[in-house]
Amino acid sequence: MPRISKRKNRNLPQMEQKTCYYRTYIYLRLSEKDGGHGRRESIETQKQICDDFIKQHPELLVTKTFVDNGITGTTFVEVR
């Protein structure tokens, strides 16, 4: 097998680095003990915190958002 010159390899453009993306779900929850029904302020605050975090991490792709406002953990509403 013939040898390849190292000098030629230096001039080749480097391959672009691929970015890995992660499908992400957001789960917002307010339990009955915390006031449960009707307290949307806490849910909105949690959503804002999640949105701010995701803006700082562009590799996270939000696929769905679930909201559980004072309901059991087995039944929740899909927002997106």
Side-chain angles (χ1 to χ4, degrees):
M1 181 186 270
R3 293 183 60 167
I4 299 174
S5 171
K6 292 181 183 179
R7 207 174 300 160
K8 289 182 182 179
N9 288 341
R10 289 182 192 159
N11 295 333
L12 294 175
Q14 293 183 354
M15 294 183 67
E16 293 180 19
Q17 184 177 1
K18 293 184 179 181
T19 304
C20 288
Y21 293 101
Y22 301 96
R23 286 180 288 186
T24 306
Y25 291 172
I26 295 176
Y27 177 65
L28 309 171
R29 183 173 192 277
L30 182 63
S31 70
E32 289 180 1
K33 291 179 183 177
D34 294 335
H37 307 285
R39 290 202 43 211
R40 244 182 107 65
E41 302 86 30
S42 180
I43 294 292
E44 291 171 358
T45 303
Q46 290 177 37
K47 176 130 178 50
Q48 186 62 45
I49 291 168
C50 292
D51 289 342
D52 292 344
F53 182 81
I54 289 170
K55 285 179 186 175
Q56 295 173 0
H57 299 276
E59 70 276 7
L60 299 177
L61 299 175
V62 177
T63 306
K64 293 182 182 178
T65 300
F66 297 99
V67 178
D68 181 1
N69 192 3
I71 309 170
T72 66
T74 57
T75 57
F76 46 78
V77 178
E78 181 180 341
V79 177
R80 282 190 201 174

